[in-house]
């Protein structure tokens, strides 16, 4: 007897496993919880929003700072460079003042995205106001810095 298996309706938080043996078909809905909270309120995002001057750190680096924007829309905080890789991404808060990127790949489907815990955006406050960002890699090394220069 032949059996068939398929995943129907795949998405970031689950899908349906469908199995069939002859004329018998069984569907099982599988759901998983996201380990990250993808949304943030406008009030919680407000202190981070603005224009930053971003600069990568490398030995002998004399690069000119590039604009980097932190904005809010659709219940999420977004980061975007305007030079190089300009694909916007959602900034997912993992603790106060720490965010990781969630990249979205619309060409691969509306629900295809990748949360990248190997990049950390660490916001720094001075006198209660967000003034800068350190970008850290998986070894906790600062690979880039961004100084806040204005509102969104």
């Amino acid at each position: 007897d032949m059996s068939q298996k398929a995943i129907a309706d795949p998405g970031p938080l689950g899908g349906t496993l469908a199995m069939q043996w002859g004329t018998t078909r069984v569907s099982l809905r599988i759901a998983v919880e996201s380990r990250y909270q993808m949304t943030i309120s406008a009030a919680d995002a407000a202190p981070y929003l603005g224009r930053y001057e971003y600069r990568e750190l490398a030995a002998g680096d004399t690069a000119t700072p590039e604009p980097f924007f932190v904005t809010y829309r659709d219940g999420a905080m977004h980061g975007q460079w305007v030079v190089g890789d300009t694909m916007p991404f959602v900034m997912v808060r993992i603790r106060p003042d720490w965010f990781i990127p969630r990249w979205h790949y619309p060409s691969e489907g509306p629900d295809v995205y990748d949360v990248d815990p190997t990049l950390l955006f660490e916001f720094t406050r001075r006198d209660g106001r967000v003034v800068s960002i350190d970008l850290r890699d998986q070894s906790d090394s600062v690979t880039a810095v961004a100084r806040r220069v204005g509102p969104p």
Side-chain angles (χ1 to χ4, degrees):
D1 206 1
M2 285 284 269
S3 68
Q4 295 178 342
K5 298 171 198 78
I7 304 258
D9 306 320
L13 300 177
T16 302
L17 175 61
M19 300 168 280
Q20 184 169 342
W21 301 267
T23 59
T24 303
R25 180 177 171 91
V26 176
S27 294
L28 175 64
R29 179 75 186 146
I30 300 170
V32 295
E33 257 185 62
S34 175
R35 107 183 235 205
Y36 302 108
Q37 176 65 40
M38 299 296 172
T39 59
I40 186 171
S41 72
D44 287 345
Y48 306 101
L49 306 182
R51 181 179 189 274
Y52 294 79
E53 286 185 347
Y54 171 91
R55 186 173 61 85
E56 292 185 2
L57 303 177
D61 182 18
T62 58
T64 303
E66 300 174 356
F68 177 75
F69 292 91
V70 178
T71 60
Y72 182 82
R73 69 177 182 280
D74 303 325
M77 209 164 85
H78 296 258
Q80 184 169 11
W81 286 276
V82 294
V83 177
D85 183 358
T86 61
M87 181 174 71
F89 56 92
V90 171
M91 300 182 82
V92 178
R93 183 167 46 184
I94 59 171
R95 63 183 287 184
D97 297 334
W98 287 19
F99 293 80
I100 57 176
R102 183 189 88 180
W103 308 104
H104 182 219
Y105 302 100
S107 64
E108 296 179 26
D111 294 324
V112 178
Y113 65 85
D114 179 29
V115 176
D116 187 356
T118 66
L119 292 175
L120 173 70
F121 290 81
E122 182 181 0
F123 288 81
T124 301
R125 294 175 187 255
R126 187 173 306 127
D127 299 324
R129 183 177 174 273
V130 173
V131 294
S132 65
I133 307 169
D134 287 344
L135 181 62
R136 297 180 177 276
D137 64 14
Q138 65 271 17
S139 67
D140 199 33
S141 297
V142 176
T143 60
V145 294
R147 182 175 59 88
R148 189 176 196 168
V149 295

